[in-house]
Amino acid sequence: MTSSKDLQGYYESLLKEVDEKLNDLYSKETEEEFNQKLKENGFSRRDFLKWASFLTATLMLPPAFESRIAKAAAIKERTPIIWLHMAECTGCSESFLRTREPDIATLIFEQVSLTYHDTLMMASGERVEKHLDEAIQRYKGKYICIIEGAIPTKDGGIYLRVGSKGETGLERAKRVTKDAKVNLAFGTCAAFGGVQAAHPNPTGAKGVHDALGIEIVNVPGCPPNSVNMVGTLLHILLFDKIPPLDLLYRPLWAYGSRIHDYCERRAHFDAGEFVEEWGDEGAKKGWCLYKMGCKGPLTYNNCSRYRFNQGTNWPIGAGHGCIGCSEPNFWDTMAPFEEPNDESGIRIPASKGVEAASDEIGSFLAGATAAAVGIHAAGSIIRAKASKTSQKESE
Amino acid sequence: MAEKKHVVIDPITRIEGHLRIEIDVKDGKIENSWSSGTLWRGIEPILQGRDIRDAGLLVQRICGVCTWAHYEANTMSAEVALGIRPPTNARLVRNMINASQFMHDHIVHFYALHSLDWADVAGALKADPVRANELAHQFSKQPYNASVEHYKEVIEKLKKFVASGQLGPFSGAYLGNKLYKLPPEGDLIVISHYLDALYVQVILAQMMAIYGAKNPHPQSLVVGGITSVMDMLDARRLGQYTSKLAEVGNFIQHAYLPDIDLITHFYKDEFSEGWGCGSYNFLSYGGFPETNDWKAEYRYLPQGVIYDRDLSRVEKVDERHITESVVHSWYKGPNKGVYPGEEDTIPEYTGLNDDGTLKKDGKYSWIKAPRYKGKMMEVGPLSRMLVGYALNHNNIRELVDAYLSKHNAEPRQMFSTVGRTAARAIETFYIWYGAHKWADDLVANLKQGDERTWTRFEYPEEETNTSVALYEAPRGSLAHFVRIKGKKVTHYQVVVPSTWNASPRDEKGQRGAYEESLIGLPVPDTEEPLEVLRTIHSFDPCLACAVHITDVDSGKIKKFKVEV
């Protein structure tokens, strides 16, 4: 686990490490070979460098990484991935399919080998069961295991059974994660239990870390943005290393700041301009949704920076508050979604907004600062609480 | 005489959720079959006591594929209970979002989840690009992304992929299986569109996000209306929507529909012999309200019930005839079908046999067995196109007839796996057409100065009657039942499309639609049950939906509020 303060140090050592590796593996011939490969796939070197620069920015890496990413992509073999489905809705797989940077075809044909993924693979039944066993053997210690969905643990895990022998989801997850190089929990269900773990959690559903007690990288969201899934995956593929994580094992590059911090409607929050009812004048003008229950101030994610579906839109953009879907237990702690959370400690700036008389502006600024401090404190408390709960349950 | 062989197929891949099929095979043909949902998530107890405004977002998480369907059906059921209707703008924007959902679902289903049941990767590898280009032009005047150069590239790409030894999603494919009927060039055309569809689905997801915030799991729908009023009033947004619609239309007309013609042509025996349809009764609730009171006869997708494949008679739907039986499902319950509003659902897991097979005489699935007037029903695009055909609803009959006449086929041939697959494609085009209309209607309404997107409502002090929204999801008929008191949900019940189709046997031993449709199909090699997959996939199974919602509310049913 890394705090954001240590990030700079982390990047310095990562850069050194990457350079050492690249010096060993990279040569002029590799570059020519790779350029040829790009050409065959209809990409120019320029397209590729653009992609490397986009990825560097997305992963919030220092610009020095741009050239390294380009080099690393050129020498990588396709890494095998085993993707398991537990108790879930397949929304995370669907979201993953929406990636355009790179697009899904390039990703699965060039970057990774989706060795096992039961929504996409051709064969069924016995043949895939055999294939899964073989893949685990063949790529022991080398494959990345991605888990989508929570693991039912109540009554011995009987609420999910897969395969001709009726293996429980719990047994299957244990078996496949054991020999993986890295285990990734994609989505809030795999990370924290998600919707089936909401009160009263009838099937005893748990996130992977809590159910198995193993090391994990959590990429929560319901579902996560493809940017966050693909970005985390590429970080691991390119640098052979997991990115720095927060207390809940979430990559800091994606979950290091709150929705509220970069929200396009933030100025309206500070100015005290709020939507009071769906479809009102404020809604037409894009005012702040805090009073309509927006949980952006309590949610650590990068939605406000990247939006969804290639930047097309996002919940707050479409006039709906954030529901905090990447936070642990959000179905219980953030509800009701259309009302502000009374216990969050967030104070609305007491102001008439930027058009207030100049003598009032001073007090407005003071109010805004206090509010910002309050929000940060509340966010931190929730984070500390959540991580305590998850630790306790895993014991 | 050959021995009877029992085969377990689990997991069934390329579907949503966890499904097992067991079959008895004798003389290379399926003699008996069982369908079992193998996951239970228990979302229903979770819904109890939640704020009605949160229920839609929670219920939406039943399924990340038809990610709009449960959200909207829930919202409509709440609106019925509260006695309100959303304004015209909200109805139209909802229909536009739902249209993107339908097209997305059908295209992703056919290409990503179903096309490899018809097209053989091994065939594509040895195809002749010149002949493939000619063949593509036989089925379309302007075939999508078709040229000798392009086909060469696709073959090269596939060859490299195969040479790498890491086959990814094609691993374990039933290469060269005799039940594949396309010529190699046909395989190549379909597989090249498989790759193109990976791009088209991204465009369709963007289309949903324009007014829906994001995809999957859009977030702009609220009880009483929609929230994306800024997007609705922004002309550039409409421009984005219609330009993406045009792009998708190009794919539907020049890739999807011609590919269905190609498949129909080369699988003509299966089409005329009616392989893969054991259903006799077809149900559709009707979808896409065209008027603000949501009247059944003014819905874009038609409502009705067809019995015994008789296309001369369509009965109106009355949801009071819906029952669910749990005799073969892992729940406690009486030995007869029960009306969904009166159900009392407590899990009762009885396990598997020692060898891991299903206990066929007892309980064997997390899916219940819904019946209409005690009869097994098929739901989905085939049902909707058949009901539309029988009712002569809008131009559905013309579209179906145009397809049939191209192949010198009779309407009865629609009762087949090929017919079910074709109905989905025809419906995709029909919905695409509808999306233009709703966009036009929205502009016309905005021009009149109407900018309303939300209807205010009051919470009931007393518990409401059971209220129901009858809805069509891409996969078929969906009904949400709700009761509300104050802001809280006091009762929730959902009967979803895949529960109808993937149903186990009922108390009378009647099989569900999957089970019945498999009977008699050939399985020459039980290790490669291609025909089983082809037929099961043609229903577009969604097991997450089928098993995630059942009711635990045992409160006595009150007077019924009917919404048709």
Side-chain angles (χ1 to χ4, degrees):
Chain A
M1 274 175 283
T2 320
S3 79
S4 37
K5 268 187 253 160
D6 306 330
L7 267 183
Q8 205 186 339
Y10 168 80
Y11 287 135
E12 277 165 18
S13 70
L14 180 64
L15 203 59
K16 228 171 106 192
E17 218 175 282
V18 167
D19 279 342
E20 275 167 22
K21 267 190 210 158
L22 287 173
N23 285 341
D24 288 348
L25 297 167
Y26 194 79
S27 66
K28 199 76 200 148
E29 289 80 64
T30 346
E31 185 174 325
E32 274 161 23
E33 217 173 89
F34 183 68
N35 284 342
Q36 185 57 31
K37 206 163 124 190
L38 283 174
K39 222 174 110 192
E40 284 164 7
N41 284 285
F43 295 107
S44 68
R45 181 84 196 159
R46 206 181 129 80
D47 289 335
F48 175 68
L49 291 175
K50 247 165 74 186
W51 172 78
S53 128
F54 171 86
L55 187 66
T56 310
T58 305
L59 293 171
M60 299 188 75
L61 294 167
F65 277 88
E66 212 173 295
S67 60
R68 275 79 169 187
I69 282 188
K71 280 185 181 173
I75 57 172
K76 278 290 164 191
E77 296 282 315
R78 281 163 65 227
T79 304
I81 288 185
I82 298 181
W83 185 309
L84 294 183
H85 287 89
M86 295 288 143
E88 44 78 39
C89 76
T90 314
C92 300
S93 286
E94 287 281 339
S95 181
F96 190 75
L97 279 176
R98 311 288 185 263
T99 175
R100 289 293 293 160
E101 306 283 353
D103 68 84
I104 190 70
T106 309
L107 191 67
I108 62 179
F109 288 94
E110 304 290 333
Q111 305 274 348
V112 300
S113 171
L114 219 43
T115 301
Y116 184 93
H117 185 295
D118 52 31
T119 318
L120 291 176
M121 65 194 310
M122 169 59 216
S124 273
E126 215 175 314
R127 181 78 63 88
V128 287
E129 286 295 281
K130 229 187 277 171
H131 174 65
L132 176 62
D133 295 343
E134 283 166 10
I136 295 172
Q137 283 308 314
R138 183 170 162 200
Y139 301 116
K140 207 168 189 161
K142 289 185 189 142
Y143 62 88
I144 294 176
C145 173
I146 293 176
I147 297 195
E148 175 177 359
I151 303 178
T153 61
K154 203 175 131 190
D155 303 328
I158 48 114
Y159 297 100
L160 170 61
R161 302 186 75 166
V162 192
S164 60
K165 297 284 173 282
E167 186 179 33
T168 63
L170 188 63
E171 292 162 343
R172 199 175 180 85
K174 262 187 208 159
R175 179 160 68 94
V176 181
T177 53
K178 192 163 60 78
D179 292 320
K181 180 165 81 173
V182 185
N183 289 295
L184 299 178
F186 273 8
T188 299
C189 296
F192 310 125
V195 64
Q196 48 278 312
H199 179 79
N201 194 355
T203 59
K206 288 183 178 172
V208 178
H209 174 76
D210 288 348
L212 307 180
I214 57 169
E215 272 185 44
I216 197 99
V217 178
N218 285 330
V219 185
C222 192
N225 200 332
S226 61
V227 172
N228 292 2
M229 290 187 278
V230 173
T232 302
L233 187 59
L234 287 177
H235 188 291
I236 293 166
L237 291 177
L238 296 174
F239 303 130
D240 220 2
K241 211 177 162 79
I242 60 170
L245 307 176
D246 73 0
L247 289 166
L248 298 173
Y249 313 110
R250 303 181 292 196
L252 276 172
W253 71 266
Y255 302 91
S257 56
R258 298 167 315 147
I259 303 267
H260 192 61
D261 299 337
Y262 294 89
C263 182
E264 64 207 20
R265 299 189 182 206
R266 175 61 185 263
H268 295 291
F269 176 88
D270 295 343
E273 292 171 336
F274 295 96
V275 177
E276 306 277 349
E277 188 177 87
W278 300 125
D280 68 5
E281 283 309 303
K284 287 178 195 166
K285 289 179 181 152
W287 286 0
C288 177
L289 291 157
Y290 181 73
K291 288 187 178 176
M292 299 308 286
C294 181
K295 303 300 186 294
L298 301 171
T299 306
Y300 288 79
N301 208 332
N302 54 3
C303 314
S304 43
R305 283 202 307 265
Y306 298 118
R307 307 176 136 220
F308 287 82
N309 305 98
Q310 295 70 47
T312 305
N313 209 345
W314 67 301
I316 291 173
H320 194 292
C322 163
I323 61 171
C325 75
S326 50
E327 295 295 326
N329 311 319
F330 77 97
W331 292 108
D332 298 325
T333 58
M334 302 282 185
F337 298 127
E338 291 189 21
E339 288 170 22
N341 191 333
D342 293 336
E343 291 157 23
S344 65
I346 293 167
R347 274 168 292 156
I348 295 167
S351 149
K352 291 177 190 158
V354 287
E355 281 152 31
S358 57
D359 59 339
E360 282 178 71
I361 289 200
S363 65
F364 153 66
L365 283 174
T369 315
V373 170
I375 290 161
H376 273 291
S380 309
I381 290 163
I382 287 181
R383 287 216 297 178
K385 231 181 176 174
S387 89
K388 238 189 217 162
T389 325
S390 77
Q391 269 169 15
K392 217 166 126 191
E393 275 171 19
S394 68
E395 275 162 17
Chain B
M1 276 266 279
E3 277 289 292
K4 187 156 84 180
K5 190 174 176 191
H6 188 75
V7 184
V8 179
I9 311 168
D10 186 354
I12 295 279
T13 53
R14 281 182 289 135
I15 63 161
E16 202 303 312
H18 299 275
L19 173 69
R20 162 186 289 210
I21 296 288
E22 293 195 12
I23 47 174
D24 280 341
V25 182
K26 201 176 166 188
D27 300 324
K29 285 199 168 160
I30 298 175
E31 202 184 61
N32 210 342
S33 73
W34 296 266
S35 153
S36 169
T38 58
L39 164 70
W40 187 63
R41 279 163 87 201
I43 288 189
E44 50 298 326
I46 295 169
L47 270 163
Q48 290 295 315
R50 300 246 165 202
D51 191 306
I52 183 63
R53 297 167 298 174
D54 294 353
L57 290 161
L58 200 142
V59 172
Q60 175 181 33
R61 267 67 184 185
I62 292 171
C63 181
V65 182
C66 51
T67 178
W68 171 260
H70 291 289
Y71 191 20
E72 188 176 8
N74 163 278
T75 306
M76 289 170 84
S77 68
E79 286 160 353
V80 175
L82 296 166
I84 55 161
R85 292 291 180 274
T88 305
N89 288 329
R91 173 175 59 80
L92 292 168
V93 170
R94 287 178 183 185
N95 281 355
M96 287 165 74
I97 297 173
N98 198 13
S100 65
Q101 168 75 82
F102 262 73
M103 292 184 284
H104 185 279
D105 222 58
H106 286 356
I107 289 171
V108 169
H109 169 262
F110 178 68
Y111 285 101
L113 307 181
H114 196 26
S115 64
L116 297 178
D117 300 327
W118 304 99
D120 182 2
V121 180
L125 285 167
K126 56 179 188 230
D128 173 357
V130 176
R131 292 222 308 267
N133 190 38
E134 287 164 11
L135 186 66
H137 281 83
Q138 270 176 42
F139 288 91
S140 170
K141 279 181 190 143
Q142 304 160 267
Y144 189 90
N145 209 357
S147 69
V148 177
E149 273 311 299
H150 176 66
Y151 288 134
K152 271 186 192 159
E153 279 169 23
V154 174
I155 293 173
E156 280 311 304
K157 195 168 194 166
L158 289 173
K159 274 190 179 153
K160 262 199 192 152
F161 194 68
V162 170
S164 78
Q166 290 182 306
L167 281 174
F170 301 145
S171 299
Y174 308 145
L175 303 175
N177 190 297
K178 274 184 292 189
L179 290 167
Y180 281 122
K181 297 282 179 65
L182 297 183
E185 289 72 25
D187 292 325
L188 179 61
I189 292 169
V190 173
I191 286 166
S192 78
H193 291 155
Y194 171 99
L195 298 172
D196 294 331
L198 289 171
Y199 166 72
V200 174
Q201 57 96 22
V202 172
I203 305 297
L204 278 157
Q206 291 169 353
M207 242 176 107
M208 177 180 279
I210 291 170
Y211 299 109
K214 63 192 177 83
N215 167 288
H217 294 331
Q219 196 168 316
S220 66
L221 184 54
V222 285
V223 176
I226 52 145
T227 65
S228 45
V229 58
M230 269 177 97
D231 299 305
M232 184 191 80
L233 295 173
D234 185 346
R236 287 170 306 175
R237 286 304 215 180
L238 190 72
Q240 278 179 317
Y241 185 89
T242 48
S243 70
K244 287 180 200 303
L245 192 58
E247 200 174 344
V248 170
N250 184 28
F251 184 81
I252 294 170
Q253 293 174 78
H254 305 303
Y256 190 10
L257 290 171
D259 286 352
I260 294 300
D261 284 328
L262 177 89
I263 285 168
T264 308
H265 182 78
F266 288 102
Y267 287 87
K268 58 177 179 297
D269 294 345
E270 289 81 348
F271 188 35
S272 91
E273 287 164 25
W275 285 27
C277 184
S279 323
Y280 280 80
N281 312 310
F282 299 86
L283 171 71
S284 169
Y285 295 154
F288 295 92
E290 293 271 55
T291 52
N292 287 356
D293 55 12
W294 304 344
K295 274 220 166 76
E297 53 271 43
Y298 300 114
R299 292 186 180 194
Y300 190 65
L301 287 173
Q303 184 186 85
V305 194
I306 290 170
Y307 296 97
D308 302 320
R309 300 188 178 182
D310 177 2
L311 295 178
S312 69
R313 199 171 66 90
V314 180
E315 195 178 277
K316 240 186 132 193
V317 175
D318 180 345
E319 64 272 31
R320 282 169 295 193
H321 295 304
I322 299 169
T323 55
E324 289 196 297
S325 163
V326 296
V327 173
H328 290 285
S329 314
W330 285 311
Y331 307 99
K332 287 188 180 129
N335 191 24
K336 64 177 172 80
V338 179
Y339 173 71
E342 293 166 7
E343 272 175 297
D344 178 21
T345 307
I346 302 155
E348 185 184 37
Y349 186 66
T350 52
L352 304 170
N353 290 321
D354 292 341
D355 62 355
T357 56
L358 299 171
K359 292 180 175 169
K360 284 130 200 134
D361 297 332
K363 295 177 183 292
Y364 65 86
S365 179
W366 286 112
I367 303 170
K368 292 182 177 185
R371 297 292 183 264
Y372 188 84
K373 288 192 176 174
K375 289 178 192 293
M376 178 265 263
M377 294 278 151
E378 174 169 339
V379 300
L382 177 59
S383 296
R384 292 189 289 250
M385 291 301 102
L386 290 173
V387 170
Y389 190 91
L391 286 174
N392 202 5
H393 184 79
N394 292 345
N395 55 346
I396 291 175
R397 185 178 287 183
E398 282 91 322
L399 291 172
V400 175
D401 275 338
Y403 163 74
L404 290 173
S405 73
K406 245 189 265 178
H407 300 282
N408 294 320
E410 302 160 36
R412 62 148 188 96
Q413 290 178 233
M414 292 303 285
F415 303 113
S416 62
T417 298
V418 173
R420 193 177 292 118
T421 302
R424 184 173 292 107
I426 294 167
E427 182 176 272
T428 309
F429 178 74
Y430 178 68
I431 297 288
W432 175 77
Y433 184 81
H436 291 85
K437 202 167 70 69
W438 298 312
D440 288 349
D441 290 352
L442 180 66
V443 172
N445 196 54
L446 290 173
K447 269 188 185 160
Q448 290 182 354
D450 178 7
E451 292 186 356
R452 286 171 303 156
T453 49
W454 187 66
T455 303
R456 200 174 290 130
F457 56 85
E458 278 172 17
Y459 298 101
E461 282 173 28
E462 292 291 309
E463 188 181 37
T464 62
N465 296 325
T466 302
S467 305
V468 82
L470 293 181
Y471 186 85
E472 285 296 320
R475 294 172 163 90
S477 304
L478 170 64
H480 281 232
F481 304 71
V482 68
R483 286 201 295 270
I484 303 168
K485 187 180 177 190
K487 288 181 178 175
K488 308 281 188 207
V489 174
T490 55
H491 168 99
Y492 213 85
Q493 175 72 29
V494 177
V495 182
V496 311
S498 297
T499 314
W500 289 98
N501 291 339
S503 143
R505 285 153 172 78
D506 59 22
E507 68 280 4
K508 287 181 279 186
Q510 278 188 102
R511 297 184 187 98
Y514 293 178
E515 294 180 336
E516 196 63 49
S517 294
L518 292 175
I519 306 294
L521 290 181
V523 182
D525 175 358
T526 52
E527 240 203 63
E528 300 197 348
L530 181 59
E531 199 57 46
V532 173
L533 291 184
R534 193 180 280 159
T535 290
I536 294 295
H537 284 153
S538 75
F539 284 93
D540 190 5
C542 186
L543 271 289
C545 291
V547 291
H548 291 171
I549 281 275
T550 45
D551 179 46
V552 289
D553 176 276
S554 56
K556 246 177 79 192
I557 186 77
K558 293 165 110 191
K559 233 174 79 194
F560 199 76
K561 193 162 176 182
V562 178
E563 185 54 47
V564 283

